[in-house]
Amino acid sequence: MTTATKSAHFRSLHTPARPLALANAWDVATARVVEAAGAPAVATTSAGTAWSLGAPDGDRVSRDLVLGVLARVAAAVTVPVTADIEGGYGRTPAEVADTVARVLDAGVVGVNIEDGARPPRVLADRVVAARGAAGRAGIDLFVNARVDTYLLGLGDPATRLRDTLARARGYVDAGADGIFVPGLTDPGVIKELAAGLTVPLNVMAGPGMPRVHELGALGVARVSLGSGVAQAAHAAVRRAARELHRTGGYDSLRPALDHGELDGLFT
Amino acid sequence: MTTATKSAHFRSLHTPARPLALANAWDVATARVVEAAGAPAVATTSAGTAWSLGAPDGDRVSRDLVLGVLARVAAAVTVPVTADIEGGYGRTPAEVADTVARVLDAGVVGVNIEDGARPPRVLADRVVAARGAAGRAGIDLFVNARVDTYLLGLGDPATRLRDTLARARGYVDAGADGIFVPGLTDPGVIKELAAGLTVPLNVMAGPGMPRVHELGALGVARVSLGSGVAQAAHAAVRRAARELHRTGGYDSLRPALDHGELDGLFT
């Protein structure tokens, strides 16, 4: 698949009729396992990637190391890859543009960029910068702007939905192709947000949340698991290590993915 | 802890009275999770590391990428780190010596080097090379020589135990500090091997194998899980991805390690 075909295909996957469901990966192994499980696209989790590289979540990891991971992941899978790049790994729009240019060089066709606790103007400028970098590269990048009002509990709860929509519209005006609002759980809020947007809405899901098709019925076009898969994998690691050190046993190594099957993902 | 203290401590952990039990890690996240679970040392799995970087097991991964992982792991944990370096990531003893010098620079105090399907003379020469590199660096490196007769089913089964002991003694003569024989399951064979060696015996364990203290009673001084932990973690990834794509649900994201707890491992 050419980059243009991948970009167009990735864009077309965003539909409430059958929401794009993403089990986020953080290295080549997890990307290939997810792809082999039937994923139509691979999305990275920035938290999982940062942890794997030895940094906490939240723009603390080395950009070069993340770019290395993205290049290896994009080279290893055939489906489109979208990258969570936190705040864009830069202080200025020019630095974020540089990040995006390098992410595109790595073979990625989508990015998530988040506002976090920063003023919305900052992310709007970064979306403009990302869009500009994609234009210069001639790539139809899908820019997913993440609004952290719900995740971080920002502002007055009474006006949070209105504030979120205002932020989202600002990001769309700046050139965002989609809006990602993690931290949503209330179906009524999800439905109102989706109805208030002209672009695909992405929500984060996990245990207790409506299923993918139910979220689609509320208007959601994309569902991602964030760092949830990494957290489950690391729970398996901890369980095995604790059993080994507490009882000297190995029962928690089951279930396991076969060594030969894993090896076969890379040959 | 200084490197000298770490080396001496790591060496002292090899005892059948309380075998060194290693739940092998493959990146900083898994190393920190394993350390937090009470591990006295962190050992890497070469297969898990290779998969994470996009290569199959068996000397196919980029040495530079592996060295980057090792340096980040050794910088992130306080316990001693021992690295599985497959055949030594080089064709000649000089290249293996260069690998070992760089592994030592990364802050590692132990290595596994394997013979695989190569003639025993090759690994003996590589052990000499590794020992020389450690001497030049002034580091008391623990060289664990891996004998693959049982893992790969090499030679005549009737003489395999004798062949394994002969190989092991050759590696000890070349300067190995310990012998690793993966693929053993028969307690009688394990006991005979341990009795026939003057250095610590390391076996690989997993479901169905005697527990760590039972292996200690057979004379084993070190027990490692190889790629078993990685295989269990990737099974968790596959389970989550399959559930998402088949049913649109997220139940298999439980149990999970808490996001804040994971983040706390890196701050």
Side-chain angles (χ1 to χ4, degrees):
Chain A
M1 236 191 287
T2 65
T3 304
T5 313
K6 259 187 195 169
S7 294
H9 175 58
F10 182 63
R11 192 172 288 278
S12 76
L13 294 169
H14 293 76
T15 166
R18 189 185 174 181
L20 171 58
L22 298 165
N24 304 69
W26 57 97
D27 63 5
V28 181
T30 54
R32 287 288 294 124
V33 168
V34 163
E35 184 184 34
V42 165
T44 61
T45 153
S46 60
T49 306
W51 295 332
S52 174
L53 295 168
D57 198 7
D59 288 296
R60 301 276 298 279
V61 69
S62 149
R63 184 175 73 165
D64 284 347
L65 292 178
V66 171
L67 286 163
V69 172
L70 294 177
R72 287 191 289 280
V73 165
V77 302
T78 56
V79 296
V81 175
T82 182
D84 187 318
I85 58 170
E86 309 199 33
Y89 302 122
R91 286 157 308 161
T92 64
E95 286 175 1
V96 172
D98 184 52
T99 298
V100 171
R102 294 178 63 190
V103 165
L104 291 169
D105 274 346
V108 166
V109 298
V111 290
N112 284 5
I113 315 184
E114 68 203 36
D115 50 15
R118 293 173 288 269
R121 187 73 242 153
V122 175
L123 181 53
D125 289 345
R126 290 176 179 186
V127 167
V128 170
R131 177 63 54 221
R136 287 188 290 280
I139 292 175
D140 182 25
L141 176 69
F142 191 99
V143 178
N144 204 25
R146 187 174 114 178
V147 186
D148 281 343
T149 42
Y150 282 89
L151 188 71
L152 303 181
L154 301 176
D156 182 355
T159 60
R160 189 165 292 148
L161 175 55
R162 204 165 58 210
D163 296 346
T164 302
L165 272 171
R167 283 185 182 223
R169 286 169 185 154
Y171 301 152
V172 171
D173 287 344
D177 301 289
I179 295 294
F180 178 28
V181 187
L184 295 177
T185 52
D186 182 329
V189 171
I190 293 172
K191 193 170 181 175
E192 254 193 272
L193 261 177
L197 291 175
T198 56
V199 299
L201 174 64
N202 177 192
V203 303
M204 193 153 72
M209 287 278 286
R211 288 178 182 237
V212 171
H213 71 274
E214 294 168 326
L215 290 168
L218 298 172
V220 170
R222 172 168 165 176
V223 178
S224 41
L225 304 184
S227 59
V229 186
Q231 292 171 245
H234 293 314
V237 174
R238 181 166 72 177
R239 199 161 55 243
R242 282 189 172 168
E243 184 192 3
L244 181 72
H245 295 302
R246 290 176 181 177
T247 75
Y250 331 101
D251 289 342
S252 50
L253 292 182
R254 292 280 175 265
L257 222 153
D258 187 67
H259 182 287
E261 199 173 345
L262 269 164
D263 239 26
L265 294 176
F266 307 104
T267 41
Chain B
M1 237 191 286
T2 65
T3 303
T5 314
K6 260 189 194 168
S7 295
H9 175 58
F10 181 63
R11 195 172 286 277
S12 76
L13 294 169
H14 292 76
T15 166
R18 191 185 173 181
L20 171 58
L22 299 165
N24 304 69
W26 57 97
D27 64 5
V28 181
T30 54
R32 286 288 294 125
V33 168
V34 163
E35 183 183 36
V42 165
T44 60
T45 154
S46 60
T49 306
W51 295 332
S52 173
L53 295 167
D57 198 6
D59 287 297
R60 300 276 299 279
V61 69
S62 148
R63 184 175 75 165
D64 283 347
L65 292 178
V66 171
L67 286 163
V69 172
L70 294 176
R72 288 191 289 280
V73 166
V77 302
T78 58
V79 297
V81 175
T82 182
D84 188 318
I85 57 170
E86 310 199 32
Y89 302 122
R91 285 158 308 161
T92 64
E95 285 176 2
V96 172
D98 184 53
T99 297
V100 171
R102 295 178 62 190
V103 165
L104 291 168
D105 275 347
V108 165
V109 299
V111 291
N112 284 5
I113 316 183
E114 68 202 36
D115 50 15
R118 293 173 288 269
R121 185 75 240 154
V122 175
L123 181 53
D125 289 346
R126 290 177 179 185
V127 168
V128 170
R131 178 60 56 221
R136 286 188 291 281
I139 292 175
D140 183 25
L141 176 69
F142 191 99
V143 178
N144 203 26
R146 188 175 114 179
V147 185
D148 281 344
T149 41
Y150 283 89
L151 189 70
L152 303 181
L154 301 176
D156 181 355
T159 61
R160 190 165 291 147
L161 175 55
R162 204 166 58 209
D163 295 347
T164 302
L165 272 172
R167 283 185 183 224
R169 287 170 185 152
Y171 301 151
V172 171
D173 287 345
D177 301 289
I179 295 294
F180 178 28
V181 187
L184 295 177
T185 51
D186 182 327
V189 171
I190 293 172
K191 193 169 181 178
E192 254 192 272
L193 260 178
L197 290 175
T198 55
V199 299
L201 173 63
N202 178 191
V203 302
M204 194 154 72
M209 286 277 287
R211 290 179 179 234
V212 172
H213 73 274
E214 294 168 324
L215 290 168
L218 298 173
V220 169
R222 172 168 166 178
V223 177
S224 41
L225 304 183
S227 59
V229 186
Q231 292 170 247
H234 293 314
V237 173
R238 179 166 72 177
R239 200 161 56 243
R242 282 189 172 169
E243 184 192 1
L244 180 71
H245 295 303
R246 290 176 182 178
T247 74
Y250 332 101
D251 289 342
S252 50
L253 292 182
R254 293 278 174 265
L257 223 153
D258 187 68
H259 182 287
E261 199 174 345
L262 269 164
D263 239 25
L265 295 177
F266 307 103
T267 39

